Amino acid sequence: MSFALSVRAAALPAAVLATLALPAAPAQAAAISVTATVETAPVSHSGDAADDPAIWVHPTDPAKSVVVATDKKGALEVYDMTGARIQRIAGDYGNNVDLRGNIVVSADDEAAGGDGAMHIYRIDPATRQLKRLKDVPTEVTAHGICLYTSPVSGKLYAFPNSTSGRVEQWELAVNGDAVTATSVRLWDAGSAVEGCYADETTGKLYLGEEDVGVWVYGAEPTAGTSRTRLDSTGSGGHITADTEGITAAGNRIYVSSQGSNDFTVYDRTTRAYLGRFSVSNGTAADDCEDTDGIDATSANLGPAFPQGVFICQDGSNGAPGTSGNQNFKFVPLQRITAQFG
């Protein structure tokens, strides 16, 4: 409203002023609060260092499952289900990381000092240690990453993406320590992208355009570039920028709404918005704030997480009023599904 209009309006009766008032934006429903039961050892570097976790389910002993997570200032961290670090791989500047089966791929962030390539590893189930197999330079200068095993062909694909908005799809074939990588699709999603999730149950790729929202593409290499919107930032949407991590578990999709320090929830089949939750301070761990990457699984991960786990990066680790190196929080999945199904 201009100054002149404000002066004139001040003299109008209250009833008239009420008719001139603009309608208020619809209020977001309050986030449901849950707490974590485990937090990891902090990453080794200070500042904005931790970013993205990926859950590996042990094939024979669920309690021996691990979480592979990024310290984008120079390491991959591997944690057990108590949050203890069991391996630190220096020289990897992964901003995002994902895995399928025993294959792990990090997006080595050039902006953080890396080479912008995909770094490909294999997990040994006997030792739970990662072995680096190959570095694959990409067209897009990898920043975000997600993996996909096609239910149609059985082939493994990676989706590196970039702050430029470029997205690429690579076919990966791993035979022992040998890796063959072939680019099969390249497109422009618009502005900066990072978080993504490729869903084998639906054949869809969920891609987060940071300032815009989440788009849904086909995940098969022949799917083209047509897309629909899952949700958006700004007016009419439920995400507060940045749009960050995306994952799914059971019948739900989860998105990190970084600007509101919480997570939006959607039906995995209909994609309907169901609500939101935050990870708050608890007796075993502090909260998750300013979250980048997330991951979740409904698989049994042993006695501590028999119904699965939700993991969030904490951008401000420490009790209220304190701050330490960033880390990751583990929430028993049933604490979330009890609220949203």
Side-chain angles (χ1 to χ4, degrees):
M1 181 181 293
S2 70
F3 176 77
L5 179 58
S6 298
V7 171
R8 290 195 299 270
L12 294 175
V16 175
L17 286 173
T19 66
L20 294 175
L22 295 174
Q28 292 277 23
I32 293 168
S33 176
V34 299
T35 56
T37 57
V38 169
E39 60 179 308
T40 68
V43 298
S44 299
H45 292 94
S46 60
D48 183 20
D51 199 291
D52 191 39
I55 303 162
W56 177 74
V57 181
H58 194 283
T60 60
D61 187 347
K64 291 183 178 179
S65 299
V66 301
V67 176
V68 182
T70 62
D71 174 348
K72 60 193 175 191
K73 292 191 175 181
L76 277 186
E77 308 273 10
V78 184
Y79 303 102
D80 67 17
M81 298 313 297
T82 72
R85 183 188 294 107
I86 62 173
Q87 186 181 14
R88 182 176 185 272
I89 304 168
D92 190 303
Y93 294 81
N95 186 75
N96 276 195
V97 64
D98 202 9
L99 59 84
R100 288 294 186 276
N102 292 346
I103 303 303
V104 178
V105 182
S106 75
D108 198 61
D109 192 359
E110 190 174 57
D115 56 18
M118 295 187 295
H119 291 182
I120 301 173
Y121 300 82
R122 186 179 61 245
I123 300 178
D124 182 347
T127 63
R128 299 186 293 172
Q129 301 286 293
L130 273 64
K131 178 181 180 180
R132 192 156 162 177
L133 303 181
K134 187 172 183 176
D135 299 345
V136 178
T138 64
E139 176 73 22
V140 302
T141 309
H143 182 68
I145 194 82
C146 54
L147 301 188
Y148 173 70
T149 301
S150 169
V152 177
S153 66
K155 294 178 179 179
L156 176 65
Y157 295 97
F159 293 92
N161 57 68
S162 171
T163 54
S164 70
R166 298 285 274 173
V167 186
E168 195 169 11
Q169 182 171 3
W170 284 78
E171 180 184 327
L172 303 178
V174 182
N175 184 11
D177 288 351
V179 178
T180 302
T182 307
S183 179
V184 295
R185 187 164 48 145
L186 177 67
W187 74 96
D188 192 339
S191 59
V193 293
E194 179 182 347
C196 64
Y197 176 76
D199 191 349
E200 285 87 359
T201 66
T202 62
K204 299 299 183 182
L205 170 68
Y206 295 86
L207 182 66
E209 193 175 359
E210 291 187 353
D211 293 329
V212 177
V214 179
W215 298 103
V216 185
Y217 295 83
E220 293 296 322
T222 57
T225 60
S226 62
R227 63 185 186 179
T228 58
R229 192 188 299 269
L230 174 71
D231 205 344
S232 62
T233 62
S235 177
H238 304 97
I239 302 169
T240 303
D242 288 351
T243 304
E244 288 289 344
I246 308 170
T247 190
N251 56 359
R252 298 293 177 251
I253 299 167
Y254 305 102
V255 176
S256 171
S257 176
Q258 189 178 61
S260 53
N261 292 321
D262 57 18
F263 310 93
T264 51
V265 185
Y266 310 85
D267 185 277
R268 197 169 181 175
T269 302
T270 67
R271 302 180 202 148
Y273 171 74
L274 301 176
R276 60 201 316 115
F277 68 94
S278 61
V279 177
S280 304
N281 290 306
T283 57
D286 64 296
D287 60 358
C288 274
E289 299 179 64
D290 197 32
T291 294
D292 285 311
I294 59 177
D295 200 10
T297 180
S298 58
N300 172 19
L301 299 177
F305 301 100
Q307 298 178 50
V309 70
F310 174 89
I311 300 178
C312 50
Q313 178 260 3
D314 183 6
S316 182
N317 180 37
T322 67
S323 182
N325 286 9
Q326 297 173 344
N327 68 350
F328 301 86
K329 306 302 196 296
F330 298 4
V331 180
L333 190 64
Q334 66 268 25
R335 294 189 176 185
I336 300 168
T337 57
Q339 306 294 330
F340 297 101

